[in-house]
């Protein structure tokens, strides 16, 4: 009898071990998977809308975090104010509770520092006018699903309000994000603010000693001096001669996400690529990547950008929440006395050399012979694509890195 029990116990242990070995990565729920795919579609729609804006230079947004902020609007809204958010996320058939738990599940998965091995600090705050009263159920739910804090502020004292917001953002990101806004335009609405700092760690580090000063051409007539880091390795690479662009995919630490860079052949050709940038086009490029030896030179810089996404989301269909006469955000305050006056999405990102140690054995082989060149010395598009959820963690463009203008040489 005890032998039968022992065999049964061994069988259970082996089955559990096999299941663990077969499923190393957590599987998202069905509704979280849908929202991951839909946030990727939102990424390209939002990026293209922003890229059309005149005088817009650097762009940096996290689509999964934008989706999370939109989820908060849905949580605080009623009727069509809430349903517009679900339409924008292409999640009209997703139940309200599944929307909130799904978005929370997705963001928790992709920001886990242990499994992703990245530095990603995210702080969220809902600012309301000093006259508002927050409903306790909303405060609890928004904290639970979206990790939002709530704060009353006297927007009529604009200078103090701006100072308070910027101090909070700087503190939340350890000084990486010094400023969210210079002004508060509306004094009677609600303001959603996300402040983030993201620093990827490479699957194989750049050599810390191989850093030098080079020129980055913002335009044909304007060059900035930047530090450039270099390394040669095996990466996903595509030379798209039809669209005149090079595409590079570099794994980040733990191999669960990848940095994808889209570099036009020529300075001043970014607009052409942006117009064709869709999820379908990205998938097409990714399917054609080949593992090749590539000599990479990448600016070692930091970039901080703050976008008020209100207008851009309005263009994409979020029309009620931002309209004082139509907004119903009564789940927030218990009455229709609020609308969304701003949705600030502020991010800082840092490209640096750290990562896992290089595989030095490859240098004694012919695998790195005659590498392709990927020299990032002019504006480019970049994405951080999650391998597990297929979501887009970041999408942006670097047009003007930080640096001093190089003097003209005859």
């Amino acid at each position: 009898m005890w032998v039968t029990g022992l065999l049964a116990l061994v069988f259970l242990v082996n089955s559990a071990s096999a299941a663990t070995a077969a499923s190393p990565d957590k599987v998202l729920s069905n509704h979280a998977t849908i929202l991951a795919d839909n946030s990727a579609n939102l990424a390209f729609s939002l990026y293209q809308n922003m890229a059309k804006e005149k005088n817009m230079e650097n762009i940096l947004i996290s689509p999964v975090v934008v989706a999370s902020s939109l989820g908060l609007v849905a949580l605080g809204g009623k009727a069509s104010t809430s349903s517009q958010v679900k339409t924008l996320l292409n999640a009209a058939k997703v139940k309200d509770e599944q929307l909130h738990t799904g978005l929370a599940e997705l963001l928790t998965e992709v920001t886990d520092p242990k499994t992703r091995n990245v530095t990603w600090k995210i702080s969220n705050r809902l600012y309301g006018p000093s006259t508002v009263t927050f409903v306790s159920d909303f405060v609890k739910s928004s904290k639970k699903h979206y990790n939002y804090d709530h704060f009353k502020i006297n927007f009529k004292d604009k200078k103090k309000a701006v100072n308070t917001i910027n101090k909070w953002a700087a503190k939340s990101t350890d000084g990486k994000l010094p400023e969210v806004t210079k002004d508060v335009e509306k004094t009677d609405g609600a303001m959603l603010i996300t402040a983030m700092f993201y620093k990827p760690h490479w699957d194989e580090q750049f050599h810390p000693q191989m850093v030098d000063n080079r020129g980055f051409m913002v335009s044909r007539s304007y060059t900035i001096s930047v530090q450039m880091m270099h390394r040669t390795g095996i990466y996903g690479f595509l030379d798209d001669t039809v669209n005149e662009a090079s595409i590079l995919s570099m794994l980040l630490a733990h191999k669960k996400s990848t940095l994808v860079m889209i570099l036009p052949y020529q300075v001043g050709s970014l607009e052409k690529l942006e117009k064709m940038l869709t999820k379908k086009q990205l998938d097409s490029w990714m399917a054609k990547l080949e593992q090749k030896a590539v000599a990479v030179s990448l600016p070692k810089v930091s970039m901080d950008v703050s976008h008020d996404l209100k207008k851009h989301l309005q263009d994409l269909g979020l029309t009620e929440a931002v309209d004082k006469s139509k907004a119903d955000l009564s789940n927030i305050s218990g009455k229709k006395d609020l609308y969304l006056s701003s949705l600030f999405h502020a991010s800082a990102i840092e490209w640096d050399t750290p990562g896992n140690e290089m595989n030095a054995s490859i240098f004694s082989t012919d695998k790195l012979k005659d590498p392709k060149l990927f020299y990032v010395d002019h504006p480019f598009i970049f994405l951080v694509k999650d391998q597990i959820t297929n979501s887009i963690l970041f999408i942006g463009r670097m047009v003007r890195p930080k640096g001093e203008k190089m003097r003209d040489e005859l």
Side-chain angles (χ1 to χ4, degrees):
M1 186 75 176
W2 67 270
V3 174
T4 304
L6 179 61
L7 289 173
L9 179 61
V10 169
F11 175 77
L12 286 172
V13 170
N14 287 340
S15 297
S17 300
T20 302
S23 305
D25 295 311
K26 179 183 175 182
V27 178
L28 291 180
S29 63
N30 184 55
H31 46 276
T33 301
I34 291 171
L35 291 164
D37 289 338
N38 295 350
S39 69
N41 286 316
L42 174 66
F44 298 104
S45 299
L46 186 55
Y47 178 92
Q48 286 191 336
N49 187 279
M50 297 173 71
K52 293 175 186 175
E53 186 172 312
K54 290 182 179 180
N55 302 321
M56 176 82 72
E57 291 188 328
N58 297 336
I59 294 175
L60 182 59
I61 53 173
S62 171
V64 291
V65 175
V66 173
S68 180
S69 296
L70 288 171
L72 183 80
V73 177
L75 183 69
K78 287 185 178 180
S80 54
T81 299
S82 179
S83 63
Q84 271 194 351
V85 173
K86 295 175 75 172
T87 300
L88 183 57
L89 292 173
N90 197 23
K93 295 182 180 179
V94 178
K95 295 179 180 178
D96 287 353
E97 184 59 26
Q98 290 180 334
L99 176 76
H100 304 310
T101 58
L103 287 172
E105 182 185 349
L106 172 61
L107 195 59
T108 299
E109 171 64 21
V110 299
T111 58
D112 185 342
K114 291 182 180 179
T115 59
R116 290 301 189 278
N117 194 20
V118 296
T119 300
W120 195 356
K121 296 184 177 182
I122 306 174
S123 297
N124 302 298
R125 183 167 279 190
L126 187 158
Y127 283 97
S130 52
T131 55
V132 75
T133 300
F134 295 119
V135 174
S136 59
D137 284 347
F138 171 79
V139 171
K140 291 177 184 177
S141 295
S142 59
K143 184 70 175 176
K144 173 185 175 183
H145 295 303
Y146 301 112
N147 199 28
Y148 259 83
D149 290 327
H150 306 78
F151 196 83
K152 294 183 184 182
I153 194 167
N154 180 12
F155 288 124
K156 292 181 179 179
D157 186 346
K158 291 188 176 185
K159 185 176 180 180
K160 186 176 181 180
V162 167
N163 189 47
T164 298
I165 292 166
N166 289 336
K167 273 190 173 181
W168 165 77
K171 184 178 180 181
S172 300
T173 58
D174 296 332
K176 301 292 185 179
L177 193 66
E179 184 177 88
V180 169
T181 183
K182 295 182 185 298
D183 191 20
V184 176
E185 294 183 2
K186 305 291 184 180
T187 61
D188 56 352
M191 182 184 291
L192 301 187
I193 301 182
T194 295
M196 293 181 287
F197 171 61
Y198 182 83
K199 181 177 181 178
H201 300 261
W202 309 105
D203 180 48
E204 288 193 1
Q205 67 181 354
F206 283 77
H207 197 294
Q209 303 303 319
M210 292 179 64
V211 178
D212 56 10
N213 290 324
R214 301 285 180 99
F216 186 97
M217 294 179 287
V218 175
S219 66
R220 294 187 185 278
S221 60
Y222 194 94
T223 301
I224 287 175
S225 176
V226 299
Q227 283 195 314
M228 197 82 79
M229 53 190 187
H230 315 273
R231 70 148 300 175
T232 301
I234 305 296
Y235 301 111
F237 180 81
L238 172 65
D239 185 14
D240 185 347
T241 56
V242 174
N243 295 302
E244 299 184 329
S246 299
I247 293 88
L248 182 73
S249 175
M250 299 179 68
L251 282 169
L252 301 183
H254 288 199
K255 298 181 172 65
K256 303 213 178 200
S257 54
T258 181
L259 175 69
V260 180
M261 287 171 280
I262 305 164
L263 181 69
Y265 286 173
Q266 304 293 332
V267 179
S269 301
L270 204 62
E271 186 178 354
K272 175 187 171 184
L273 290 175
E274 288 176 328
K275 287 180 177 178
M276 62 181 290
L277 188 60
T278 61
K279 185 175 182 292
K280 183 178 179 180
Q281 179 60 61
L282 178 66
D283 290 343
S284 174
W285 277 328
M286 297 298 287
K288 295 175 183 176
L289 292 175
E290 295 181 10
Q291 294 297 310
K292 293 185 178 181
V294 186
V296 181
S297 295
L298 184 64
K300 179 183 177 290
V301 294
S302 61
M303 183 171 83
D304 56 89
V305 188
S306 180
H307 303 291
D308 187 350
L309 299 181
K310 174 187 167 182
K311 175 185 176 297
H312 304 293
L313 292 170
Q314 188 175 3
D315 290 344
L316 297 179
L318 190 73
T319 58
E320 285 209 8
V322 300
D323 188 326
K324 185 177 180 178
S325 64
K326 295 180 180 178
D328 185 351
L329 296 174
S330 51
N331 281 340
I332 297 178
S333 63
K335 51 188 177 180
K336 293 175 66 174
D337 59 345
L338 283 179
Y339 70 104
L340 189 61
S341 60
S342 293
L343 198 159
F344 280 106
H345 188 82
S347 315
I349 193 168
E350 192 171 280
W351 313 104
D352 209 339
T353 57
N356 297 331
E357 296 230 355
M358 297 181 198
N359 176 13
S361 64
I362 199 171
F363 295 105
S364 61
T365 70
D366 290 333
K367 291 182 179 180
L368 299 182
K369 187 178 179 181
D370 299 323
K372 299 289 184 179
L373 297 180
F374 195 85
Y375 191 79
V376 186
D377 68 342
H378 58 275
F380 65 102
I381 301 166
F382 62 89
L383 309 97
V384 179
K385 190 175 188 298
D386 190 58
Q387 305 281 75
I388 308 303
T389 65
N390 208 31
S391 56
I392 305 296
L393 307 186
F394 277 91
I395 183 171
R397 70 182 183 195
M398 185 177 288
V399 172
R400 185 188 293 269
K402 293 178 181 178
E404 297 295 324
K405 182 180 184 295
M406 296 182 74
R407 66 187 181 89
D408 297 328
E409 299 284 356
L410 295 177

